[in-house]
Amino acid sequence: MPRRDDISSILVIGSGPIIIGQAGEFDYSGTQACRTLREEGYRVVLVNSNPATIMTDPGTADRTYLEPLDVEAVAAVIERERPDALLPTVGGQTALNLAMELHGEGVLERHGVELIGADAEAIRRAEDREVFRDTMGRAGLAVPAGRIVSSVEEGLDAAASLGFPLVLRPGYTLGGEGGGVAKTRQDLADRLARALERSPIGQVLLERSVLGWAELELEVVRDSADNAVVVCSIENLDPMGIHTGDSVTVAPTMTLTDRELQTLRDASLAVIRAVGVSTGGANVQFALNRETGELVVIEMNPRVSRSSALASKATGFPIAKIAARLAIGYTLDELPNEITAVTPASFEPSLDYVAIKVPRFAFEKIPGASPRLTTQMKSVGEVLALGRTFNEAFGKAMGARELDVSPEIPDDLDAALALLQKPSWDRYDLMMSVLVRGASPEQVSEASGVDPWFCRRIQEVARAGVRAAKTSPPEAASMREARRAGATDADLARALGSSAEAVARRREELGVMPTFHAVDSCAAEFKAATPYFYSAFETKTEVAADERDAIVVLGSGPNRIGQGIEFDYCCV
């Protein structure tokens, strides 16, 4: 299908100020969408109140307005610029909610502005908790038992039949804002009052607890011809009960059987079709009871999400660019895969490496804040590491967090295991410590809720440096094996009683140097055409020689308080 020629100008709304759950990933998606739409010949009008972004650079859109993201300000822009369409799916929850407000106030209809990517009904089916549950039921998909309430009294009445603990999920919110877990009637009354205040529509879903179940996400893209692909499957190492933004996540999924994965794929495609996101990306979240095989749909984001940024970088599939082009009429089979340059975007990515995201927290800068992790997101940044194996990627990610404080780990093994029962920001440091000191992966799994397969891999990472230290001084083979197994130079230094700098010098003397490999969406079946690489410790590098003079630019690493996307903007 050709691009639409019945529209000429498109309004894009940004995500506004950086908040927990909505940071640089939406500057990334909005910037990609704006540039893509301009490449296609459309006039792009952008509204965003945050000046420290790439998308508000003068070259990103044809007109940029630094205005408050509210109905009055955006309505004034619409009246002045008269766009033909509004793309609401690339500016996070802020843009999505504001688009719905503009629709509800009649602003879009009054000025003849069409919602593209996802219309108002599709957004309502995904964001309105009650409508979403009904939609899933009609599609034959299971959801946890629950009830929609709009008052504390209704909530207490619902609890009598649902039982405790209950998960609170406010409607139209971001990052689990206002949500949580209630274990008693008084706890429910207190939490529900706050949750109702946070929901723009005064609606909260009280849901039967699936705490401890496996949490899984699939990133799905669909076009107007009903072609749909699963871009990426993501597995949370942490079980349900910890917000996915605070979880360590891995792509692709590691512990599912093929039958379970295919069931998830079919269900995610059924979700995006039932909700009606006709052109673009969506993130579908599931909970799986590993013991019984029961699978339920938790929620769906009818927009480019935080996970979309992770999936894009992990697979090389540019979700925001593709979503923008699908919104203006193209179909997946008409768009090229930018990684291979020869396959279409309708090819589902297939990886021969592992990507792991580890969140970064800043509780030390917020005195009085509870470091306990819950269903409400608390992390302020994250790192993404790619490796040939889970172990290699996990070790790289843990070492890339750039921590400002050290984890507090009890000397007593039983005390440390007891701490694992209460999810905290340093739980994986704690796991590695106890696994080295003699705790079994099964003990750690029981205490933390993390699947035993992951606990065994984490034990291997934790022991990698210790094994290498048994050969002192380390030989090339043992050092290369340790790096492949997930140990960093700092890990090796701790095991050897040395410094990371000394270990690095010794490794270089032995010729144990990193190799570099291309991010490849087709598992090396086709040559990767983009210069996008990650390091490993293999025998041959995949980076082609380039004789031109070069300049290295160092980025600022994970987002943190005081160092966010303004430095991404500087580097770009």
Side-chain angles (χ1 to χ4, degrees):
M1 297 172 64
R3 64 182 283 282
R4 292 181 58 175
D5 58 9
D6 58 330
I7 58 176
S8 60
S9 62
I10 299 172
L11 173 66
V12 174
I13 301 175
S15 58
I18 300 304
I19 58 176
I20 288 177
Q22 194 165 269
E25 56 275 333
F26 295 107
D27 186 38
Y28 169 71
S29 60
T31 300
Q32 296 297 312
C34 288
R35 289 177 174 174
T36 299
L37 294 172
R38 291 189 76 193
E39 287 173 8
E40 292 294 335
Y42 295 97
R43 181 173 180 272
V44 175
V45 178
L46 170 68
V47 185
N48 195 5
S49 59
N50 186 353
T53 55
I54 298 165
M55 69 160 54
T56 52
D57 188 89
T60 303
D62 294 282
R63 287 285 181 88
T64 299
Y65 288 85
L66 290 168
E67 290 294 320
L69 295 181
D70 58 33
V71 170
E72 182 180 6
V74 178
V77 172
I78 290 174
E79 186 170 359
R80 178 179 179 82
E81 295 292 339
R82 298 301 174 107
D84 299 308
L86 165 59
L87 181 63
T89 56
V90 293
Q93 195 69 39
T94 296
L96 202 71
N97 287 355
L98 183 50
M100 290 299 283
E101 289 184 63
L102 291 165
H103 169 77
E105 294 286 337
V107 175
L108 302 184
E109 183 179 6
R110 189 159 59 247
H111 294 286
V113 181
E114 177 188 353
L115 282 174
I116 59 175
D119 61 26
E121 280 305 304
I123 295 171
R124 192 172 73 90
R125 279 191 290 269
E127 295 290 321
D128 186 301
R129 300 288 184 179
E130 187 167 14
V131 177
F132 180 72
R133 292 173 66 82
D134 292 342
T135 301
M136 294 300 98
R138 287 194 295 273
L141 299 167
V143 295
R147 189 183 302 179
I148 305 294
V149 300
S150 55
S151 70
V152 173
E153 291 73 22
E154 285 183 29
L156 293 173
D157 180 63
S161 58
L162 292 172
F164 290 99
L166 287 171
V167 177
L168 287 73
R169 301 187 186 278
Y172 285 87
T173 58
L174 171 76
E177 182 185 2
V181 179
K183 297 181 179 179
T184 66
R185 285 179 62 83
Q186 185 58 52
D187 190 21
L188 175 61
D190 295 340
R191 291 180 181 274
L192 184 53
R194 291 194 295 271
L196 289 166
E197 289 178 2
R198 296 293 190 276
S199 172
I201 60 173
Q203 180 195 87
V204 175
L205 168 63
L206 296 183
E207 200 168 68
R208 175 174 73 93
S209 172
V210 289
L211 300 181
W213 291 27
E215 184 168 6
L216 303 143
E217 305 171 61
L218 272 72
E219 200 67 32
V220 189
V221 171
R222 182 183 182 221
D223 66 23
S224 57
D226 198 30
N227 301 308
V229 295
V230 175
V231 175
C232 188
S233 63
I234 302 172
E235 183 169 3
N236 290 243
L237 273 65
D238 297 290
M240 292 291 298
I242 298 176
H243 190 278
T244 183
D246 290 345
S247 294
V248 173
T249 62
V250 58
T253 55
M254 297 280 108
T255 68
L256 298 183
T257 65
D258 183 62
R259 181 183 294 273
E260 288 170 335
L261 182 57
Q262 295 309 318
T263 299
L264 278 173
R265 290 186 74 265
D266 292 343
S268 65
L269 297 177
V271 170
I272 195 171
R273 287 173 171 136
V275 169
V277 175
S278 56
T279 56
N283 174 259
V284 188
Q285 297 177 20
F286 297 92
L288 172 68
N289 187 324
R290 294 185 187 274
E291 295 181 1
T292 66
E294 183 181 356
L295 180 73
V296 294
V297 182
I298 300 299
E299 63 182 8
M300 178 241 205
N301 291 312
R303 55 175 170 79
V304 176
S305 66
R306 293 181 62 257
S307 296
S308 303
L310 184 154
S312 292
K313 296 297 171 62
T315 65
F317 190 102
I319 293 174
K321 287 183 179 180
I322 297 294
R325 285 195 165 95
L326 297 179
I328 55 172
Y330 289 106
T331 55
L332 285 164
D333 56 298
E334 295 176 320
L335 301 176
N337 180 319
E338 294 187 4
I339 290 289
T340 65
V342 295
T343 60
S346 52
F347 273 46
E348 289 193 348
S350 177
L351 310 185
D352 59 359
Y353 50 86
V354 176
I356 294 180
K357 177 218 72 177
V358 173
R360 190 183 191 281
F361 299 88
F363 291 114
E364 72 278 2
K365 294 190 176 182
I366 314 173
S370 171
R372 179 81 178 268
L373 303 184
T374 66
T375 58
Q376 185 167 345
M377 185 174 165
K378 296 181 179 180
S379 66
V380 297
E382 60 193 24
V383 301
L384 180 68
L386 282 69
R388 303 300 292 175
T389 64
F390 175 91
N391 295 32
E392 187 173 56
F394 181 83
K396 286 173 66 177
M398 291 291 287
R401 293 172 295 168
E402 302 177 22
L403 297 179
D404 293 329
V405 294
S406 298
E408 296 182 6
I409 300 174
D411 293 330
D412 182 74
L413 190 60
D414 291 335
L417 283 169
L419 278 181
L420 281 176
Q421 297 177 17
K422 299 178 180 179
S424 61
W425 71 270
D426 56 355
R427 61 205 180 284
Y428 285 94
D429 301 281
L430 194 58
M431 282 184 199
M432 294 178 74
S433 173
V434 299
L435 286 165
V436 164
R437 288 188 282 160
S440 69
E442 290 70 26
Q443 283 178 297
V444 171
S445 176
E446 184 177 356
S448 65
V450 175
D451 188 78
W453 188 90
F454 291 119
C455 294
R456 287 191 285 272
R457 301 294 82 74
I458 293 169
Q459 183 183 54
E460 292 167 0
V461 175
R463 290 179 172 178
V466 177
R467 283 200 307 271
K470 291 179 180 179
T471 306
S472 187
E475 299 173 352
S478 61
M479 192 165 274
R480 180 174 283 107
E481 180 185 356
R483 291 305 308 257
R484 283 178 170 176
T488 63
D489 285 348
D491 295 328
L492 289 166
R494 280 190 292 272
L496 291 164
S498 181
S499 68
E501 291 77 13
V503 169
R505 284 197 301 271
R506 174 62 178 164
R507 180 170 51 73
E508 291 171 8
E509 290 169 1
L510 294 171
V512 181
M513 299 295 289
T515 55
F516 291 90
H517 306 268
V519 168
D520 183 359
S521 60
C522 288
E525 290 187 32
F526 298 90
K527 184 178 179 180
T530 56
Y532 185 25
F533 303 95
Y534 64 94
S535 68
F537 279 84
E538 300 296 309
T539 57
K540 185 179 180 181
T541 192
E542 294 177 359
V543 180
D546 190 334
E547 300 303 323
R548 294 176 298 172
D549 292 340
I551 296 173
V552 172
V553 177
L554 299 180
S556 59
N559 275 5
R560 65 192 77 189
I561 293 174
Q563 190 166 290
I565 59 170
E566 59 271 30
F567 298 107
D568 190 36
Y569 172 69
C570 294
C571 286
V572 172

